[in-house]
Amino acid sequence: MSQRLTALTIAAIVTLTAGCGLGGGEQSQASKSIDTSGEISGEVSFQTWSLKTGFKDYFESLIKDFETKHPKVKINWVDQPADHYADKITSQITTKTLPDVINLPPEIAYSAAKAGALLDLRPSVSDLDDKYQKTALDAYSYSGVKGTYAFPWYLGTNVCFWNKELMSKGGLDPKKAPPKTLDELIEQAKILHDKTDGSVTLMSRKPEIMDFSFAGVKIMDDEQKKFVFNTPESVAILDKYVAAYKAGYMPKNILSSEYLGNSELFKKEQVAWTTAGGSFIAKVKESDPTLADKMVPSPNIGAAPLWAQGISVNAAAKNSAAALTFAAFVTNEENQVNFTTKTTAKGFFPGSKGKQSTDIFNSSDGTPAQDGPLMAWKALPEARIAAPPLWTDAMRMYLDQQIADALTEKISSKQALDNAVQKANSLLNY
């Protein structure tokens, strides 16, 4: 599931938005108010994204429960494969076969909402703000598109994990003073490097779009028409990474095809720091208990990223009252807590909020394995999406290459960011 909470290529569905536009009819349909107070009936199609394996029993039980409560409603569940999901949504909108209730991440929901395909929940659901996490609602509320286009479902964020044994070789103690800023991270990376003659490194990843965004850099202009993140502030951030890489504070192979990612290097005990979801220690313990015993969590450095999935409603659903009622049922607190605690979705958190969620997630037994999820849970109220919904994999990959060229001083930090902005803007489709 975690792999599915990354940036996606959505150029195709953005192109669709340009082709169909958002005419008065679509706007009216998307913003209509639906009355769910009476008896509901009819068939409702429900689409999830690569969840059947491992979750089949959960969804069958969930659907049976709903149909028992609403005997005149029939839920038809279909699960789509993980690959090419954005393309599938594009095709479904184009052919007017979009399911009535759809599992969507924020970036695909944005494009579908711009195409007029999703229901704005605000006119029909008066207690959204009372029942759902604000940061998750914000993830489905977009600049230039009035409304909120999904019930927040399951959420994730990152915390830091440190190898206390490796850090102790440099005289560092992650329990007492874990870095809270990039400057502090680089300072500790220098100490560890110098005291171990470079045999142990702390940092092991290049900066990416979220590092600039979370430092307060504006990624797109206010009209969401172009990327503008090639600022002096961004150049200063990248310059710090360039200096750290040159000094040997990061493994040289992070720029090669052999690079497996910072969490894999951490699991191999080649570096002393990584970021991951709150349940990372528990997962590592299953395969490497010795390493798990060396791990110490701390809050994410800077802002925390938000990984989100939501449940949207087709604006053109035939049985709209039944569809909206089912979407709200899937995402009510009881069902969300069951999903995130009683299935293999453990490590994620409910997009709903309430006493039941707080009682379960806002606690720890004092062990590092339990402190990690607690830190992630506490970060959710301030966590946010790392990049605008128009940021695609193609843009990300180009920025990554430009940053690699900057780290090896083939080009300056300014040139790298100028190139990345120019390329990103050339890839925009309206």
Side-chain angles (χ1 to χ4, degrees):
M1 292 173 65
S2 60
Q3 291 178 345
R4 297 171 50 250
L5 298 177
T6 60
L8 298 170
T9 304
I10 58 171
I13 198 167
V14 175
T15 302
L16 168 68
T17 303
C20 68
L22 188 62
E26 287 92 346
Q27 282 182 318
S28 176
Q29 193 173 43
S31 60
K32 64 186 176 184
S33 177
I34 297 172
D35 182 7
T36 58
S37 60
E39 186 179 46
I40 57 174
S41 62
E43 292 193 9
V44 172
S45 52
F46 170 46
Q47 178 171 287
T48 53
W49 181 14
S50 189
L51 291 174
K52 195 165 189 176
T53 300
F55 300 89
K56 183 174 182 288
D57 291 345
Y58 172 82
F59 284 108
E60 288 180 346
S61 176
L62 181 77
I63 290 168
K64 183 179 180 181
D65 186 17
F66 183 82
E67 290 177 341
T68 299
K69 291 179 169 66
H70 305 279
K72 292 186 178 182
V73 178
K74 171 65 176 175
I75 305 297
N76 300 313
W77 175 38
V78 60
D79 187 63
Q80 295 293 343
D83 293 337
H84 308 297
Y85 193 58
D87 294 336
K88 182 65 177 180
I89 298 297
T90 301
S91 175
Q92 289 174 330
I93 294 175
T94 303
T95 58
K96 299 188 184 302
T97 58
L98 188 70
D100 301 316
V101 179
I102 323 103
N103 166 201
L104 296 174
E107 62 272 21
I108 298 181
Y110 166 76
S111 301
K114 285 204 72 176
L118 301 183
L119 182 73
D120 173 12
L121 300 179
R122 292 288 176 182
S124 304
V125 186
S126 61
D127 56 359
L128 271 179
D129 295 317
D130 296 328
K131 291 186 175 181
Y132 295 90
Q133 301 271 2
K134 181 183 183 303
T135 49
L137 289 171
D138 289 345
Y140 289 93
S141 304
Y142 310 106
S143 176
V145 187
K146 182 181 178 182
T148 301
Y149 290 90
F151 291 99
W153 194 14
Y154 61 91
L155 313 175
T157 188
N158 280 353
V159 297
C160 292
F161 293 95
W162 312 90
N163 185 317
K164 62 183 179 182
E165 182 178 278
L166 291 181
M167 293 188 75
S168 68
K169 293 181 178 180
L172 301 174
D173 186 347
K175 290 184 178 181
K176 293 182 178 179
K180 296 180 180 179
T181 66
L182 175 60
D183 288 340
E184 290 178 0
L185 177 66
I186 294 174
E187 179 183 348
Q188 293 200 18
K190 180 184 186 309
I191 293 171
L192 189 60
H193 171 272
D194 291 352
K195 290 196 175 183
T196 63
D197 294 323
S199 64
V200 180
T201 55
L202 191 63
M203 303 166 65
S204 61
R205 72 167 182 84
K206 303 186 292 293
E208 52 192 84
I209 196 69
M210 72 175 178
D211 293 284
F212 304 115
S213 175
F214 290 171
V217 172
K218 183 180 289 188
I219 305 301
M220 294 191 80
D221 63 3
D222 292 337
E223 291 75 32
Q224 301 291 289
K225 293 295 184 183
K226 63 179 181 179
F227 289 96
V228 293
F229 59 84
N230 54 334
T231 67
E233 292 80 9
S234 294
V235 171
I237 291 168
L238 185 49
D239 278 344
K240 291 177 182 180
Y241 277 93
V242 170
Y245 181 78
K246 184 177 182 179
Y249 305 159
M250 293 185 275
K252 296 300 181 184
N253 67 3
I254 67 169
L255 304 182
S256 75
S257 59
E258 299 175 357
Y259 179 60
L260 301 174
N262 65 331
S263 64
E264 290 302 314
L265 292 177
F266 183 88
K267 285 190 283 189
K268 291 178 180 295
E269 298 196 65
Q270 295 177 7
V271 299
W273 166 66
T274 189
T275 58
S279 61
F280 188 54
I281 293 180
K283 292 177 180 178
V284 169
K285 195 167 188 176
E286 295 175 1
S287 58
D288 192 346
T290 302
L291 173 58
D293 289 341
K294 302 174 186 176
M295 293 169 62
V296 176
S298 74
N300 200 59
I301 296 173
L306 177 68
W307 318 122
Q309 290 289 328
I311 297 293
S312 299
V313 177
N314 186 343
K318 181 179 179 181
N319 299 306
S320 56
L324 182 60
T325 302
F326 179 67
F329 178 79
V330 172
T331 59
N332 69 32
E333 186 180 28
E334 180 181 359
N335 287 326
Q336 292 215 38
V337 168
N338 286 341
F339 186 58
T340 52
T341 59
K342 298 180 180 179
T343 71
T344 53
K346 291 179 180 179
F348 290 92
F349 301 103
S352 58
K353 64 181 181 181
K355 185 178 186 302
Q356 187 177 5
S357 299
T358 300
D359 288 346
I360 292 174
F361 296 106
N362 197 37
S363 62
S364 172
D365 61 7
T367 64
Q370 288 297 312
D371 284 348
L374 175 60
M375 290 174 186
W377 171 255
K378 288 185 174 181
L380 281 180
E382 302 299 328
R384 55 189 175 90
I385 298 295
L390 289 174
W391 182 254
T392 68
D393 274 350
M395 299 172 188
R396 177 190 59 79
M397 291 171 65
Y398 187 83
L399 173 63
D400 185 71
Q401 183 57 56
Q402 293 303 300
I403 286 175
D405 287 347
L407 292 179
T408 53
E409 299 183 280
K410 293 178 182 177
I411 58 177
S412 68
S413 296
K414 183 178 187 306
Q415 187 64 60
L417 293 166
D418 285 345
N419 291 348
V421 165
Q422 182 179 14
K423 181 67 171 181
N425 285 330
S426 74
L427 292 172
L428 282 174
N429 293 282
Y430 293 102

